[in-house]
mmCIF file with all atom_site columns, all heavy atoms in Angstrom:
data_model
loop_
_atom_site.group_PDB
_atom_site.id
_atom_site.type_symbol
_atom_site.label_atom_id
_atom_site.label_alt_id
_atom_site.label_comp_id
_atom_site.label_asym_id
_atom_site.label_entity_id
_atom_site.label_seq_id
_atom_site.pdbx_PDB_ins_code
_atom_site.Cartn_x
_atom_site.Cartn_y
_atom_site.Cartn_z
_atom_site.occupancy
_atom_site.B_iso_or_equiv
_atom_site.pdbx_formal_charge
_atom_site.auth_seq_id
_atom_site.auth_comp_id
_atom_site.auth_asym_id
_atom_site.auth_atom_id
_atom_site.pdbx_PDB_model_num
ATOM 1   N N   . GLU A 1 267 ? -86.984 2.438  38.515 1.00 89.00 ? 396 GLU A N   1
ATOM 2   C CA  . GLU A 1 267 ? -87.526 3.579  37.792 1.00 89.00 ? 396 GLU A CA  1
ATOM 3   C C   . GLU A 1 267 ? -86.394 4.215  36.985 1.00 89.00 ? 396 GLU A C   1
ATOM 4   O O   . GLU A 1 267 ? -85.390 4.652  37.565 1.00 89.00 ? 396 GLU A O   1
ATOM 5   C CB  . GLU A 1 267 ? -88.095 4.591  38.788 1.00 89.00 ? 396 GLU A CB  1
ATOM 6   C CG  . GLU A 1 267 ? -89.116 5.497  38.146 1.00 89.00 ? 396 GLU A CG  1
ATOM 7   C CD  . GLU A 1 267 ? -89.862 6.301  39.205 1.00 89.00 ? 396 GLU A CD  1
ATOM 8   O OE1 . GLU A 1 267 ? -90.625 5.703  40.000 1.00 89.00 ? 396 GLU A OE1 1
ATOM 9   O OE2 . GLU A 1 267 ? -89.626 7.517  39.234 1.00 89.00 ? 396 GLU A OE2 1
ATOM 10  N N   . ALA A 1 268 ? -86.548 4.212  35.665 1.00 91.00 ? 397 ALA A N   1
ATOM 11  C CA  . ALA A 1 268 ? -85.466 4.691  34.801 1.00 91.00 ? 397 ALA A CA  1
ATOM 12  C C   . ALA A 1 268 ? -85.956 5.801  33.896 1.00 91.00 ? 397 ALA A C   1
ATOM 13  O O   . ALA A 1 268 ? -87.159 6.046  33.785 1.00 91.00 ? 397 ALA A O   1
ATOM 14  C CB  . ALA A 1 268 ? -84.932 3.538  33.955 1.00 91.00 ? 397 ALA A CB  1
ATOM 15  N N   . ARG A 1 269 ? -84.974 6.484  33.251 1.00 92.00 ? 398 ARG A N   1
ATOM 16  C CA  . ARG A 1 269 ? -85.320 7.453  32.214 1.00 92.00 ? 398 ARG A CA  1
ATOM 17  C C   . ARG A 1 269 ? -85.371 6.708  30.878 1.00 92.00 ? 398 ARG A C   1
ATOM 18  O O   . ARG A 1 269 ? -84.638 5.735  30.690 1.00 92.00 ? 398 ARG A O   1
ATOM 19  C CB  . ARG A 1 269 ? -84.255 8.556  32.130 1.00 92.00 ? 398 ARG A CB  1
ATOM 20  C CG  . ARG A 1 269 ? -84.160 9.418  33.367 1.00 92.00 ? 398 ARG A CG  1
ATOM 21  C CD  . ARG A 1 269 ? -82.912 10.302 33.320 1.00 92.00 ? 398 ARG A CD  1
ATOM 22  N NE  . ARG A 1 269 ? -81.692 9.512  33.409 1.00 92.00 ? 398 ARG A NE  1
ATOM 23  C CZ  . ARG A 1 269 ? -80.687 9.589  32.542 1.00 92.00 ? 398 ARG A CZ  1
ATOM 24  N NH1 . ARG A 1 269 ? -80.762 10.416 31.515 1.00 92.00 ? 398 ARG A NH1 1
ATOM 25  N NH2 . ARG A 1 269 ? -79.623 8.836  32.674 1.00 92.00 ? 398 ARG A NH2 1
ATOM 26  N N   . GLY A 1 270 ? -86.196 7.152  29.937 1.00 90.00 ? 399 GLY A N   1
ATOM 27  C CA  . GLY A 1 270 ? -86.245 6.466  28.644 1.00 90.00 ? 399 GLY A CA  1
ATOM 28  C C   . GLY A 1 270 ? -87.184 7.162  27.685 1.00 90.00 ? 399 GLY A C   1
ATOM 29  O O   . GLY A 1 270 ? -87.996 7.998  28.081 1.00 90.00 ? 399 GLY A O   1
ATOM 30  N N   . HIS A 1 271 ? -86.952 6.874  26.372 1.00 87.00 ? 400 HIS A N   1
ATOM 31  C CA  . HIS A 1 271 ? -87.794 7.454  25.328 1.00 87.00 ? 400 HIS A CA  1
ATOM 32  C C   . HIS A 1 271 ? -88.171 6.363  24.354 1.00 87.00 ? 400 HIS A C   1
ATOM 33  O O   . HIS A 1 271 ? -87.482 5.351  24.238 1.00 87.00 ? 400 HIS A O   1
ATOM 34  C CB  . HIS A 1 271 ? -87.031 8.519  24.530 1.00 87.00 ? 400 HIS A CB  1
ATOM 35  C CG  . HIS A 1 271 ? -86.795 9.775  25.289 1.00 87.00 ? 400 HIS A CG  1
ATOM 36  N ND1 . HIS A 1 271 ? -87.796 10.603 25.730 1.00 87.00 ? 400 HIS A ND1 1
ATOM 37  C CD2 . HIS A 1 271 ? -85.634 10.348 25.692 1.00 87.00 ? 400 HIS A CD2 1
ATOM 38  C CE1 . HIS A 1 271 ? -87.283 11.633 26.350 1.00 87.00 ? 400 HIS A CE1 1
ATOM 39  N NE2 . HIS A 1 271 ? -85.964 11.498 26.361 1.00 87.00 ? 400 HIS A NE2 1
ATOM 40  N N   . GLY A 1 272 ? -89.236 6.583  23.596 1.00 82.00 ? 401 GLY A N   1
ATOM 41  C CA  . GLY A 1 272 ? -89.523 5.768  22.423 1.00 82.00 ? 401 GLY A CA  1
ATOM 42  C C   . GLY A 1 272 ? -89.917 4.346  22.745 1.00 82.00 ? 401 GLY A C   1
ATOM 43  O O   . GLY A 1 272 ? -90.789 4.101  23.569 1.00 82.00 ? 401 GLY A O   1
ATOM 44  N N   . THR A 1 273 ? -89.252 3.422  22.085 1.00 85.00 ? 402 THR A N   1
ATOM 45  C CA  . THR A 1 273 ? -89.667 2.026  22.169 1.00 85.00 ? 402 THR A CA  1
ATOM 46  C C   . THR A 1 273 ? -89.342 1.408  23.518 1.00 85.00 ? 402 THR A C   1
ATOM 47  O O   . THR A 1 273 ? -88.550 1.945  24.294 1.00 85.00 ? 402 THR A O   1
ATOM 48  C CB  . THR A 1 273 ? -88.983 1.192  21.078 1.00 85.00 ? 402 THR A CB  1
ATOM 49  O OG1 . THR A 1 273 ? -87.632 1.590  21.014 1.00 85.00 ? 402 THR A OG1 1
ATOM 50  C CG2 . THR A 1 273 ? -89.647 1.370  19.745 1.00 85.00 ? 402 THR A CG2 1
ATOM 51  N N   . THR A 1 274 ? -89.934 0.270  23.754 1.00 88.00 ? 403 THR A N   1
ATOM 52  C CA  . THR A 1 274 ? -89.725 -0.472 24.996 1.00 88.00 ? 403 THR A CA  1
ATOM 53  C C   . THR A 1 274 ? -88.245 -0.815 25.147 1.00 88.00 ? 403 THR A C   1
ATOM 54  O O   . THR A 1 274 ? -87.633 -1.383 24.235 1.00 88.00 ? 403 THR A O   1
ATOM 55  C CB  . THR A 1 274 ? -90.534 -1.777 24.961 1.00 88.00 ? 403 THR A CB  1
ATOM 56  O OG1 . THR A 1 274 ? -91.854 -1.447 24.565 1.00 88.00 ? 403 THR A OG1 1
ATOM 57  C CG2 . THR A 1 274 ? -90.523 -2.456 26.308 1.00 88.00 ? 403 THR A CG2 1
ATOM 58  N N   . PRO A 1 275 ? -87.629 -0.442 26.257 1.00 90.00 ? 404 PRO A N   1
ATOM 59  C CA  . PRO A 1 275 ? -86.185 -0.658 26.398 1.00 90.00 ? 404 PRO A CA  1
ATOM 60  C C   . PRO A 1 275 ? -85.827 -2.135 26.570 1.00 90.00 ? 404 PRO A C   1
ATOM 61  O O   . PRO A 1 275 ? -86.625 -2.933 27.065 1.00 90.00 ? 404 PRO A O   1
ATOM 62  C CB  . PRO A 1 275 ? -85.826 0.155  27.631 1.00 90.00 ? 404 PRO A CB  1
ATOM 63  C CG  . PRO A 1 275 ? -87.087 0.332  28.377 1.00 90.00 ? 404 PRO A CG  1
ATOM 64  C CD  . PRO A 1 275 ? -88.223 0.290  27.386 1.00 90.00 ? 404 PRO A CD  1
ATOM 65  N N   . THR A 1 276 ? -84.580 -2.460 26.143 1.00 91.00 ? 405 THR A N   1
ATOM 66  C CA  . THR A 1 276 ? -84.045 -3.807 26.358 1.00 91.00 ? 405 THR A CA  1
ATOM 67  C C   . THR A 1 276 ? -82.909 -3.818 27.367 1.00 91.00 ? 405 THR A C   1
ATOM 68  O O   . THR A 1 276 ? -82.559 -4.852 27.909 1.00 91.00 ? 405 THR A O   1
ATOM 69  C CB  . THR A 1 276 ? -83.505 -4.383 25.044 1.00 91.00 ? 405 THR A CB  1
ATOM 70  O OG1 . THR A 1 276 ? -82.481 -3.498 24.556 1.00 91.00 ? 405 THR A OG1 1
ATOM 71  C CG2 . THR A 1 276 ? -84.589 -4.509 23.982 1.00 91.00 ? 405 THR A CG2 1
ATOM 72  N N   . HIS A 1 277 ? -82.305 -2.635 27.570 1.00 91.00 ? 406 HIS A N   1
ATOM 73  C CA  . HIS A 1 277 ? -81.136 -2.562 28.467 1.00 91.00 ? 406 HIS A CA  1
ATOM 74  C C   . HIS A 1 277 ? -81.212 -1.302 29.303 1.00 91.00 ? 406 HIS A C   1
ATOM 75  O O   . HIS A 1 277 ? -81.877 -0.337 28.933 1.00 91.00 ? 406 HIS A O   1
ATOM 76  C CB  . HIS A 1 277 ? -79.835 -2.503 27.651 1.00 91.00 ? 406 HIS A CB  1
ATOM 77  C CG  . HIS A 1 277 ? -79.522 -3.782 26.941 1.00 91.00 ? 406 HIS A CG  1
ATOM 78  N ND1 . HIS A 1 277 ? -80.126 -4.136 25.762 1.00 91.00 ? 406 HIS A ND1 1
ATOM 79  C CD2 . HIS A 1 277 ? -78.665 -4.791 27.265 1.00 91.00 ? 406 HIS A CD2 1
ATOM 80  C CE1 . HIS A 1 277 ? -79.657 -5.307 25.361 1.00 91.00 ? 406 HIS A CE1 1
ATOM 81  N NE2 . HIS A 1 277 ? -78.767 -5.731 26.267 1.00 91.00 ? 406 HIS A NE2 1
ATOM 82  N N   . ILE A 1 278 ? -80.484 -1.315 30.418 1.00 92.00 ? 407 ILE A N   1
ATOM 83  C CA  . ILE A 1 278 ? -80.271 -0.048 31.121 1.00 92.00 ? 407 ILE A CA  1
ATOM 84  C C   . ILE A 1 278 ? -78.773 0.173  31.270 1.00 92.00 ? 407 ILE A C   1
ATOM 85  O O   . ILE A 1 278 ? -77.985 -0.765 31.373 1.00 92.00 ? 407 ILE A O   1
ATOM 86  C CB  . ILE A 1 278 ? -80.945 -0.001 32.516 1.00 92.00 ? 407 ILE A CB  1
ATOM 87  C CG1 . ILE A 1 278 ? -80.598 -1.247 33.334 1.00 92.00 ? 407 ILE A CG1 1
ATOM 88  C CG2 . ILE A 1 278 ? -82.446 0.215  32.394 1.00 92.00 ? 407 ILE A CG2 1
ATOM 89  C CD1 . ILE A 1 278 ? -81.084 -1.180 34.756 1.00 92.00 ? 407 ILE A CD1 1
ATOM 90  N N   . CYS A 1 279 ? -78.411 1.453  31.231 1.00 93.00 ? 408 CYS A N   1
ATOM 91  C CA  . CYS A 1 279 ? -77.017 1.849  31.421 1.00 93.00 ? 408 CYS A CA  1
ATOM 92  C C   . CYS A 1 279 ? -76.938 2.519  32.783 1.00 93.00 ? 408 CYS A C   1
ATOM 93  O O   . CYS A 1 279 ? -77.626 3.516  33.037 1.00 93.00 ? 408 CYS A O   1
ATOM 94  C CB  . CYS A 1 279 ? -76.621 2.819  30.313 1.00 93.00 ? 408 CYS A CB  1
ATOM 95  S SG  . CYS A 1 279 ? -75.038 3.608  30.598 1.00 93.00 ? 408 CYS A SG  1
ATOM 96  N N   . ILE A 1 280 ? -76.136 1.951  33.660 1.00 93.00 ? 409 ILE A N   1
ATOM 97  C CA  . ILE A 1 280 ? -76.064 2.472  35.028 1.00 93.00 ? 409 ILE A CA  1
ATOM 98  C C   . ILE A 1 280 ? -74.710 3.117  35.248 1.00 93.00 ? 409 ILE A C   1
ATOM 99  O O   . ILE A 1 280 ? -73.677 2.443  35.280 1.00 93.00 ? 409 ILE A O   1
ATOM 100 C CB  . ILE A 1 280 ? -76.271 1.338  36.057 1.00 93.00 ? 409 ILE A CB  1
ATOM 101 C CG1 . ILE A 1 280 ? -77.546 0.546  35.710 1.00 93.00 ? 409 ILE A CG1 1
ATOM 102 C CG2 . ILE A 1 280 ? -76.355 1.909  37.461 1.00 93.00 ? 409 ILE A CG2 1
ATOM 103 C CD1 . ILE A 1 280 ? -77.641 -0.770 36.460 1.00 93.00 ? 409 ILE A CD1 1
#
Side-chain angles (χ1 to χ4, degrees):
Chain A
E396 202 169 293
R398 295 169 293 127
H400 288 296
T402 43
T403 311
T405 59
H406 291 80
I407 50 173
C408 169
I409 309 166

